[in-house]
Amino acid sequence: NAGVTQTPKFRVLKTGQSMTLLCAQDMNHEYMYWYRQDPGMGLRLIHYSVGEGTTAKGEVPDGYNVSRLKKQNFLLGLESAAPSQTSVYFCASSLNTYNQPQHFGDGTRLSIL
Amino acid sequence: AQTVTQSQPEMSVQEAETVTLSCTYDTSESDYYLFWYKQPPSRQMILVIRQEAYKQQNATENRFSVNFQKAAKSFSLKISDSQLGDAAMYFCAYRSARLNSGGSNYKLTFGKGTLLTVNP
C-alpha cells in the first residue's frame, strides 16, 4: 500500500551541484505534479505531467527540469542548485478526472548551502 | 488566475471544543472543487474533506464539516470535538473542474495555511 513514494527524504547540496528527486506512484495515475513548499508561501506548482512522455511548466519552473519516461515515475532535476531552491519538495499524483483528489508523497527536505 | 486566501496564520482550540478555519478564494469559474488538506509535523499532506461547487449541500466527514458559501467565495472548515491529533497545518486548496487540453486546470492552488494548536 505504498501510494506515492519520494526519494530521498533529506539532502544537503552545495551551490552548483546537481541532483535528481525521484517520485514513484503505484496507483496507475495519469497525472503527476511537483510542488515546493516554503515557509509562509503554501505549496506552489513547479512542473506537472498529464501522461507518460509529457511534461509542462507550473507556476515556478525556473531552475528545474522534469522527465516522465515511465507512467509510474516523475523525476525532478536541479542542474545547478542555488540557495533559493532550499525548500521542501512534494510530489503528488491523481487520476485524470477532475473530481479525484491528489495523493501526496511525504516530501523531500532539500538544503542548498 | 485563481487565488486562495487563508487569513488566519495561527489558531488555537481547547481539546473537545470546536474551531473554524477560514478560507476565501477568487475565481471567475462556476465549476470547481475545493479541498482542505491537513499537514501534521510528519509533513504528510492528508486530504480532510472536499466540496464540489455545484453541490449546495455542505460536505461532512465525521468531525469535520465545511461551510461553503459560493456567492461569497468562502469555504470554512469546522472541526468539532477537537482532539490532540488534529494539531497540524491546514491548507485550503482550489481546483478547476473545467477541462482544458493542456491539463493545467488539474493543478491545485493552495492558500498559505493555518497552523492549528490543540491545547489539552
Side-chain angles (χ1 to χ4, degrees):
Chain A
N1 199 20
V4 179
T5 303
Q6 291 183 231
T7 309
K9 296 191 184 304
F10 305 94
R11 181 62 63 91
V12 178
L13 291 179
K14 294 181 179 179
T15 298
Q17 287 185 317
S18 63
M19 79 160 295
T20 300
L21 306 184
L22 171 63
C23 176
Q25 52 94 5
D26 61 2
M27 297 173 284
N28 203 33
H29 286 171
E30 290 84 0
Y31 283 44
M32 296 187 75
Y33 315 79
W34 276 106
Y35 294 89
R36 60 178 288 174
Q37 183 180 27
D38 301 297
M41 295 293 291
L43 278 77
R44 293 179 293 168
L45 183 67
I46 305 171
H47 285 280
Y48 65 97
S49 168
V50 300
E52 182 178 316
T54 73
T55 63
K57 294 180 180 179
E59 302 170 64
V60 288
D62 294 343
Y64 305 95
N65 56 74
V66 287
S67 64
R68 183 116 181 254
L69 299 180
K70 294 182 179 181
K71 185 177 183 179
Q72 63 268 33
N73 295 336
F74 194 30
L75 279 63
L76 178 70
L78 287 73
E79 290 187 349
S80 180
S84 61
Q85 293 177 306
T86 294
S87 188
V88 179
Y89 292 85
F90 284 94
C91 177
S93 70
S94 70
L95 291 170
N96 66 344
T97 48
Y98 54 81
N99 63 344
Q100 295 301 311
Q102 293 182 13
H103 297 261
F104 285 82
D106 291 343
T108 295
R109 182 174 296 279
L110 183 61
S111 296
I112 316 296
L113 304 178
Chain B
Q2 294 82 21
T3 58
V4 177
T5 302
Q6 293 178 249
S7 59
Q8 307 152 316
E10 297 183 24
M11 291 282 286
S12 64
V13 63
Q14 291 295 127
E15 197 175 3
E17 297 286 303
T18 295
V19 64
T20 298
L21 308 184
S22 300
C23 173
T24 59
Y25 57 94
D26 187 24
T27 183
S28 59
E29 299 176 334
S30 60
D31 200 10
Y32 48 86
Y33 287 83
L34 296 164
F35 303 86
W36 278 99
Y37 278 88
K38 169 186 177 181
Q39 187 180 42
S42 65
R43 224 169 54 198
Q44 280 184 299
M45 291 289 287
I46 303 165
L47 178 66
V48 175
I49 199 166
R50 65 180 176 183
Q51 174 78 44
E52 293 88 341
Y54 65 86
K55 288 186 178 179
Q56 293 186 338
Q57 186 175 8
N58 290 323
T60 300
E61 288 287 343
N62 300 314
R63 297 182 295 107
F64 298 88
S65 61
V66 299
N67 183 4
F68 173 49
Q69 302 288 328
K70 191 173 184 179
K73 296 180 183 176
S74 172
F75 182 61
S76 61
L77 175 69
K78 184 171 82 171
I79 306 174
S80 303
D81 185 24
S82 296
Q83 300 175 0
L84 295 177
D86 294 334
M89 182 73 84
Y90 286 82
F91 292 96
C92 179
Y94 171 102
R95 178 197 237 179
S96 171
R98 180 172 53 88
L99 179 66
N100 69 12
S101 58
S104 61
N105 60 314
Y106 284 174
K107 74 179 182 72
L108 287 169
T109 300
F110 286 88
K112 294 183 179 181
T114 297
L115 181 63
L116 178 66
T117 302
V118 181
N119 300 312

